[in-house]
């Protein structure tokens, strides 16, 4: 583990001085969901502060509470010691709090200089003084050590450069706090180096930089302090140098004390000589997954563990043809297949339930019945409707089997709770009777009862011979269900173990990279 | 196929949906009154009724229908007859709009269909024969299928926005129609052809029956097959539909072809009505009327769920409006003004923002500053 | 970092030799080449086609369309569309003719026309921005409204006999070499120049591009999105009014059937001029050249006795198709 800062004590901040921003006991409730529950955050001038947590931990909500996108229900926000509440991002920016989001929020069709200065460009005789604008943009870019032509069109640059320009825009106003929300998720190694250089420069001038990233190595390389959130609550504030990666992963993932039925299931037989139902060889896609091998056999559950951004979702999408692979090949039942679209995968009896239920699963304005039958109907084509009797039977059966409530086939999908929507989506795929079922975070954000039901269903399906890929951020769940565990990190598979005597801490160690050296040769 | 799946829970005795579970959200089984109020057809039908009431109060005999020359006769019958072209075009447009699309070229397609049919009839050896008319119409509709394929190709394969893709044919289409007619106003003498517009079957205008038949065919096609559901799925959530394996390309292609055929039929009826074709004016602005009819009928321009019945009501409303204005003593040219008012009114009723402004009296701009994209 | 190249010091000659126009000007250059090519081909093929006066009459016959295309460029750059301009032209000719007939001063009449047209545009912009009604539908309402108002004023054509209008219409400006042009052309060119300056050098203009490029980003960047979104429709309305006045000069009449479908010509000219229909990219100069291309097609067909007038529409459609498909392929490659 390389850390850049040697001497800091465990608790005291590295840089002295009053916090530039202090959020105390912030709570936000959306409907019945408590998104933030008494969360506090301190930002000191001249530090890089990492905000850590898995999906749904509340990082984005906290940031949006600070920048005035959301209004808080309770708590106080002190900026420079004074009580402040911003009603809009623009107001926050005026107070020196700038945000750069994961997606570059600039306009690709204008020049770099315009993107940096639009809205406050120097003017002369009523018109924009282009020369002065370019000059000012150039000097800001130089201050950040960036050699970018301010006259060039933003869209012609790679995303990394656009990201840097977004930062340059953010700091062109006197920024005291710069929030970087997952700025590195689409950058390659060289580009990250450049970004970090800019971040260090800003930190050294006294800016408090908030950094959100899923890449642990990056956190350890750049961040001084971190605040760890889980399920909308504050876990701890820590000095990065005084925390091992293993500790960090434990803090982030935590342990939910769930009272779930024990799942007694026969682990799948060994299959030295069995033919895999699906085999991926060197599957890769630029920017999302490095070359990965994976074999799936009938009747087994393969759990995929890894943090957000580790490549777990990307792997699933490539196996299903939702994205197309750049390199590598897929064999389904020993036949080499190229999956150009989900359609191809479904025809080969592969099914995939996306982690993004709302955007990629639910058809909100259609009924539960239509949502359930969509995949089967799509593969039959519109000319061959499913007979009414079969429809009714299938829908009734699955509503019953998965305990979907309300048990009304005609209820509109958007009126169902998350857990019930997830069950409908599961039913959508089970109705197609797939050989391979890929479930990406099927239990995220749903209540514990529905979670137990879905887990039990998965176990049952595997016993009946289905091959299931089960992706989840919760390690307990993965270990409880899987016959084999695949661990992913930094867009690659770093370990694969039979689930015999594998403990959560084993997996945590692998994810944290402590035993990575022995696990897989590093290139 | 589902015998591989046994419910894990012990089977409970079959119960009426959601009734037996205490914690289940009961599906709403509201009273008749609130169900009527919640019906999306309520407003269009009310608007249509209101128009009729206006007419009756201006001319008490407005709704009278009598039998003359063996068929029904009266304002209502005229409205039914005149509504056929708009109804047909709107029918196709409904499906196109349901997929988040729009077809601006239907007016031009109608002109081409009329042009092809009329020149075929004139050029045929036996101009007056019924078979000539049938042949000519078939060829015209086949031509429309090609034009629909073209639109669908641009939208679903090349991936051009529908409004732009169909603009191409909207611009070029009337030129093509004139190419067919050689720029002449082609007049035809064929009884079978003119019957399409002015003939009566069982005392009812044939044109209206043709339109109704198309409505019935469409209803069967969309509601008895899976087409309707797949169209709606593609319109509501294209990405989720793709991941569920829906062949959206085929679906989109199908609706543009269907839209073109409907437009062609409308063009034939319009040409038959005057026994001639003027490529410049046939079906001029009918795309706008059709879109208006669809919107009045309650199908949102943002795609998704569609209502064929709503479109029928919408088309009847537009035709009735055209009849109402001279009836209450306003020059018929003012029709456009009323249409503009209707467009704005319908859009405001459907706009969530307008509703919220009306409900809470708070300035709207404050709400606009919240960024639309979420950054999870 | 590989993507950031070091600054290269170059001599002037290197820069001249290595000059290649930025990719963003490419569509305009292509359209310009198309125009020159077509005009040249006409010159080779037909006697008298290459005469500069033919070029000048091209401007003269299309002065109103140039102004319309300028307004349309603003709207399309901001990611919208305006279907109402043809009807507003008709309304403008009608208001001018009617007020003059009623004995208004021609200047008052001009002000009235421009005010009504701008007001109509502003109303549509307000509907589009504040009630989130699709531009297509809101301007469709505008189309109906303007046409309806025109009919309401008069169904019959009203001639314009006002002395000031006639003088403006017929007075020619002598150019060196015995050529001439009219005030309508001067107004049209002036509109292009002013619009080009506004788009290139004012905060409003740059925000138009920003909104067309990515409206959500523009909002997050703190730009005055509402001002711009309503503003472009007001400008388009104003241009439609001005175009209507030029059309009134051209025809010396007000008529409810004037300019039917002219919005399509304006949109086609803008697209052929290299403006992206999805917004954010394009230049007013391109739209001017787009109009000239459309005009040249017409001139071509009128010079050629063998081609019928409807080939104009077909040719415009084909050009539109080519540009739209190429635009689509270009944007697809970028994403």
């Amino acid at each position: 583990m390389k850390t850049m800062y040697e001497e800091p004590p465990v608790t005291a901040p590295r840089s002295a001085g009053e916090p530039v921003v202090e959020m105390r006991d912030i709570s936000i409730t959306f409907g019945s969901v408590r998104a933030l529950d008494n969360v506090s955050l301190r930002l000191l001038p001249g530090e890089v502060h990492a905000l850590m947590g898995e999906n749904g931990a509340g990082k984005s909500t906290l940031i949006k509470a600070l920048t005035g996108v959301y209004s808080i229900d309770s708590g106080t926000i002190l900026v420079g010691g004074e009580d402040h509440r911003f009603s809009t991002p623009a107001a926050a920016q005026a107070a020196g709090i700038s945000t750069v989001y994961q997606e570059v929020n600039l306009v690709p069709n204008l020049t770099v200089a315009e993107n940096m200065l639009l809205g406050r460009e120097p003017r002369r005789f009523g018109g924009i003084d282009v020369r002065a604008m370019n000059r000012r943009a150039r000097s800001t870019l130089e201050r950040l050590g960036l050699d970018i032509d301010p006259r060039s069109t933003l869209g012609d640059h790679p995303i990394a450069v656009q990201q840097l320009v977004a930062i340059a825009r953010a700091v062109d106003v006197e920024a005291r706090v710069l929030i970087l929300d997952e700025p590195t998720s689409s950058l390659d190694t060289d580009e990250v180096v450049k970004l970090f250089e800019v971040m260090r420069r800003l930190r050294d001038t006294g800016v408090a930089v908030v950094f959100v990233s899923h890449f642990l190595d990056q956190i350890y390389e750049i961040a001084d302090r971190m605040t760890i959130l889980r399920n909308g609550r504050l876990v701890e504030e820590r000095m990065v140098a005084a925390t091992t990666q293993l500790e960090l992963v434990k803090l982030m993932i935590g342990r939910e004390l769930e009272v779930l039925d024990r799942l007694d299931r026969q682990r799948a037989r060994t299959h030295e000589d069995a033919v895999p139902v699906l085999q991926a060889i060197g599957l890769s896609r630029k920017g999302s997954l490095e070359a990965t091998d994976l074999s799936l056999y009938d009747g087994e559950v393969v759990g995929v563990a890894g943090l957000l951004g580790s490549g777990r979702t990307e792997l699933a999408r490539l196996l299903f043809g939702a994205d197309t692979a750049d390199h590598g090949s897929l064999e389904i039942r020993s036949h080499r297949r190229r999956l150009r679209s989900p359609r191809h995968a479904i025809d080969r009896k592969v099914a995939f339930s996306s982690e993004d239920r709302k955007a990629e699963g639910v058809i909100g304005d259609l009924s539960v019945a239509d949502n359930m039958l969509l995949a089967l109907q799509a593969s039959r084509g519109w000319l061959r409707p499913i007979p009414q009797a079969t429809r009714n039977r299938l829908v009734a059966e699955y509503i019953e089997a998965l305990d979907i409530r309300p048990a009304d086939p005609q209820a509109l999908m958007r009126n169902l709770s998350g857990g019930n929507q997830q069950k409908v989506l599961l039913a959508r795929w089970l109705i197609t009777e797939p050989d391979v079922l890929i479930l990406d975070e099927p239990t995220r954000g749903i209540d514990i009862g529905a979670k137990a039901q879905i887990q039990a269903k998965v176990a049952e399906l595997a016993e009946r011979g289905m091959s299931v890929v089960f992706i989840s951020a919760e390690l307990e769940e993965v270990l409880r269900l899987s016959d084999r565990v695949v661990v992913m990190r930094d867009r690659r598979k770093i370990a694969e173990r039979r689930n015999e005597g594998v403990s959560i801490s084993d997996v945590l160690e692998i994810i944290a990279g402590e035993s990575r050296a022995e696990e897989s040769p590093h290139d | 196929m589902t015998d591989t799946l046994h419910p894990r829970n012990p089977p409970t005795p079959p119960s009426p949906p959601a009734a037996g579970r205490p914690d289940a959200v009961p599906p709403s089984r509201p009273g008749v009154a609130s169900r009527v109020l919640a019906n999306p057809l309520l407003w269009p039908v009310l608007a249509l009724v209101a128009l009729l009431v206006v007419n009756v109060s201006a001319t008490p005999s407005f709704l009278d229908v009598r039998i003359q020359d063996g068929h029904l006769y009266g304002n209502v019958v005229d409205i039914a007859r005149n509504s056929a072209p708009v109804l047909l075009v709107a029918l196709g447009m409904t499906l196109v709009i349901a997929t988040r699309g729009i077809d601006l070229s239907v007016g031009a397609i109608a002109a081409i269909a009329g042009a092809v049919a009329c020149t075929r009839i004139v050029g045929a050896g036996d101009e007056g024969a019924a078979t000539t008319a049938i042949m000519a119409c078939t060829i015209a509709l086949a031509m429309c299928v090609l034009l629909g394929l073209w639109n669908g190709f641009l939208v679903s394969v090349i991936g051009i926005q529908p409004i732009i893709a169909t603009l191409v044919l909207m611009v070029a289409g009337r030129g093509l129609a004139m190419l067919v007619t050689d720029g002449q106003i082609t007049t035809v003498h064929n009884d079978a052809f003119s019957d399409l517009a002015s003939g009566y079957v069982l005392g009812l205008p044939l044109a209206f029956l043709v339109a109704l038949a198309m409505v019935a065919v469409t209803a069967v096609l969309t509601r008895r097959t899976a087409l309707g559901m797949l169209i709606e799925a593609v319109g509501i959530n294209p990405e989720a539909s793709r991941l569920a394996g829906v062949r959206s390309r085929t679906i989109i292609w199908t609706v543009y072809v269907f839209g073109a055929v409907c437009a062609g039929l409308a063009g034939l009826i319009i040409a038959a009505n005057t026994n001639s074709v003027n490529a410049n004016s046939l079906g001029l602005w009918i795309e706008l009327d059709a879109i208006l009819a669809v919107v009045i009928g309650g199908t949102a321009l943002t795609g998704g769920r569609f209502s064929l019945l709503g479109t029928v009501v919408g088309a009847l409303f537009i035709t009735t409006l055209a009849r109402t204005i001279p009836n209450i003593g306003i020059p018929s040219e003012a029709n456009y003004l009323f249409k503009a008012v209707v467009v704005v009114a319908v859009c405001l009723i459907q706009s969530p923002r307008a509703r919220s402004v009306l409900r809470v009296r708070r300035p709207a701009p404050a709400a606009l500053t919240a960024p639309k994209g979420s950054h999870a | 970092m590989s993507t950031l190249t070091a600054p290269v010091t170059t001599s002037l000659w290197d820069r001249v030799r290595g000059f290649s126009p930025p990719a963003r000007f490419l569509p305009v250059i292509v359209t310009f080449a198309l125009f020159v090519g077509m005009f040249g081909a006409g010159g080779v093929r037909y006697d008298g086609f290459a005469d500069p006066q033919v070029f000048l009459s091209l401007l003269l016959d299309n002065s109103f369309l140039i102004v319309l295309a300028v307004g349309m460029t603003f709207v399309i750059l901001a990611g919208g569309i305006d279907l109402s301009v043809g009807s507003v032209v008709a309304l403008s000719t009608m208001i001018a003719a009617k007020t003059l007939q009623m004995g208004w001063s021609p200047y008052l009449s001009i002000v009235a026309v421009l005010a009504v047209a701008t007001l109509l545009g502003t109303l549509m912009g307000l509907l589009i921005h504040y009630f989130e009604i699709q531009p297509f539908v809101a301007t469709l309402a505008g189309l109906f409204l303007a046409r309806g108002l025109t009919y309401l004023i008069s169904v019959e054509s009203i001639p314009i006999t006002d002395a000031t209008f006639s003088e403006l219409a017929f007075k020619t400006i002598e150019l060196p070499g015995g050529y001439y042009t009219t005030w309508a052309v001067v107004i049209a060119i002036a509109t292009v120049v002013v619009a080009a300056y506004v788009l290139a050098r004012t905060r409003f203009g740059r925000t138009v591009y920003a909104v067309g490029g990515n409206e959500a980003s523009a909002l997050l960047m703190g730009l005055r999105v509402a001002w711009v979104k309503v503003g472009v429709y007001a400008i388009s309305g104003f241009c439609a009014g001005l175009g209507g006045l030029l059309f009134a000069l051209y025809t010396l009449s007000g008529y409810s059937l004037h300019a039917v479908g002219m919005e399509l010509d304006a949109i086609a000219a803008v697209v052929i001029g290299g403006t992206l229909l999805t917004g954010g990219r394009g230049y007013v100069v391109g739209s001017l050249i787009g109009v000239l291309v459309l005009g040249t097609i017409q001139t071509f067909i009128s010079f050629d006795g063998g081609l019928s007038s409807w080939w104009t529409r077909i040719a415009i459609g084909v050009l539109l198709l080519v540009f739209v498909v190429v635009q689509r392929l270009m944007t697809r490659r970028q994403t």
Side-chain angles (χ1 to χ4, degrees), chain A residues 60 64 88 101 103 105 182 320 322 342-343 346 358-363 365-366 370 374-375 377-378 382 385 393-394 397-398 400 403 405-408 412 429 431 433 456 460-461 464, chain B residues 1-2 4-9 11-12 17-18 21 23-25 27 221 224-227 229-230 232-233 236-237 239-247 251 254 305 369 371 374-376:
Chain A
S60 292
K64 286 179 178 168
T88 64
Y101 295 100
E103 316 88 88
N105 277 300
E182 293 187 45
F320 183 62
R343 182 77 254 142
I346 295 165
K358 205 168 158 205
E360 300 183 343
V362 168
I363 315 272
D365 279 341
L366 288 188
D370 283 345
L374 183 63
Q377 186 62 66
W382 64 267
R393 182 171 56 79
L394 282 174
E397 228 167 73
Y398 279 95
E400 169 101 33
D403 191 23
R405 299 171 193 195
D408 176 7
L412 283 192
W429 292 114
I431 286 175
E433 301 183 309
E460 182 199 323
L461 291 166
R464 292 180 194 290
Chain B
M1 71 191 303
T2 47
T4 52
L5 291 151
H6 294 291
R8 197 173 69 90
N9 299 336
T12 47
R21 299 201 174 84
D23 56 338
V25 183
L221 213 58
R224 291 281 162 236
T225 74
L227 186 62
M229 168 189 148
L230 294 180
E232 291 184 338
I236 295 166
N237 191 339
E239 180 58 14
S241 305
R242 185 181 82 96
L243 288 179
V246 178
R247 285 193 170 98
I251 302 279
T254 310
R305 300 212 82 149
T369 47
S374 69
H375 312 282

Side-chain angles (χ1 to χ4, degrees), chain A residues 53-249:
Chain A
E54 275 289 276
N55 250 332
K59 297 170 307 222
S60 292
T61 316
L62 188 62
I63 290 174
K64 286 179 178 168
L66 175 60
T67 54
V69 178
Y70 296 150
S71 55
I72 56 175
D73 296 339
S74 67
T76 46
I77 301 175
L78 302 176
V79 179
E82 285 172 38
D83 206 338
H84 263 289
R85 269 190 207 185
F86 304 113
S87 51
T88 64
Q93 192 170 13
I97 300 175
S98 297
T99 314
V100 174
Y101 295 100
Q102 182 181 3
E103 316 88 88
V104 181
N105 277 300
L106 295 177
V107 260
N109 52 328
L110 294 183
T111 68
V112 168
E114 284 177 318
N115 269 293
M116 288 172 58
L117 295 168
L118 209 59
R120 47 174 186 266
E121 58 285 80
R123 288 194 276 192
R124 205 170 57 153
F125 310 127
I128 295 172
D129 186 346
V130 177
R131 279 165 176 275
M133 182 170 71
N134 287 337
R135 222 178 302 124
R136 182 163 145 197
R138 194 185 301 276
S139 83
T140 304
L141 289 169
E142 271 167 11
R143 190 153 60 85
L144 296 175
L146 299 174
D147 181 26
I148 305 170
D149 184 358
R151 292 165 307 176
S152 53
T153 306
L154 183 79
D156 293 345
H157 292 289
I159 293 293
V161 176
Q162 298 189 23
Q163 194 76 260
L164 294 170
V165 172
I167 294 174
R169 176 180 174 88
V171 301
D172 180 74
V173 284
E174 289 302 303
R176 291 192 283 174
V177 176
L178 175 64
I179 301 168
L180 302 174
D181 191 357
E182 293 187 45
T184 57
S185 51
S186 53
L187 308 191
D188 65 31
T189 326
D190 291 350
E191 295 166 337
V192 170
V193 169
K194 188 77 202 171
L195 175 74
F196 283 4
E197 227 174 274
V198 170
M199 285 168 67
R200 289 197 188 99
R201 271 174 193 253
L202 286 169
R203 180 193 63 197
D204 295 343
T205 59
V207 176
V209 181
V210 178
F211 181 52
V212 180
S213 168
H214 299 302
F215 300 102
L216 296 187
D217 283 349
Q218 292 179 359
I219 301 293
Y220 277 86
E221 191 182 335
I222 189 83
D224 305 315
R225 237 155 29 94
M226 56 189 171
T227 295
I228 301 147
L229 304 178
R230 190 170 70 230
N231 291 333
R233 295 202 185 86
L234 175 68
V235 178
E236 236 181 300
E237 186 199 282
R238 286 264 192 145
M239 295 308 296
V240 174
T243 312
T244 64
Q245 288 212 19
L246 183 57
E247 280 176 293
L248 173 58
V249 174

